[in-house]
Amino acid sequence: VLDSLSVLSEEEAWLLNALLFERLSLREVQRAIGIPKTTVARYRDKILAKLRVALANNPAIRDYLTG
């Protein structure tokens, strides 16, 4: 999983961390970075899609899921 996270830029990793691990709301992130809440939500969705692709292409995860 950590290998898959390396596909994210520093900004993408920060946003993902803020929303998923620090449990900040979209509104709190909006205030922190100064962009609309809907834009934050769209970025989150794009980042998660990017991470999903990276995870699906990871050989160890593919082996685990098919094994």
Side-chain angles (χ1 to χ4, degrees):
V1 173
L2 289 175
D3 289 342
S4 298
L5 288 172
S6 68
V7 302
L8 301 180
S9 70
E10 189 174 314
E11 293 83 12
E12 291 170 332
W14 181 89
L15 184 66
L16 191 66
N17 183 60
L19 292 170
L20 299 181
F21 302 111
E22 293 182 28
R23 314 269 304 153
L24 297 179
S25 69
L26 292 173
R27 191 173 307 277
E28 290 169 319
V29 173
Q30 167 198 355
R31 287 188 204 121
I33 59 177
I35 61 174
K37 185 173 70 169
T38 54
T39 304
V40 174
R42 278 191 224 115
Y43 284 159
R44 176 204 56 206
D45 295 344
K46 286 180 184 179
I47 294 166
L48 290 174
K50 184 177 180 179
L51 190 56
R52 231 178 264 116
V53 168
L55 288 167
N57 291 328
N58 184 297
I61 292 176
R62 233 178 315 148
D63 290 346
Y64 176 77
L65 293 175
T66 59

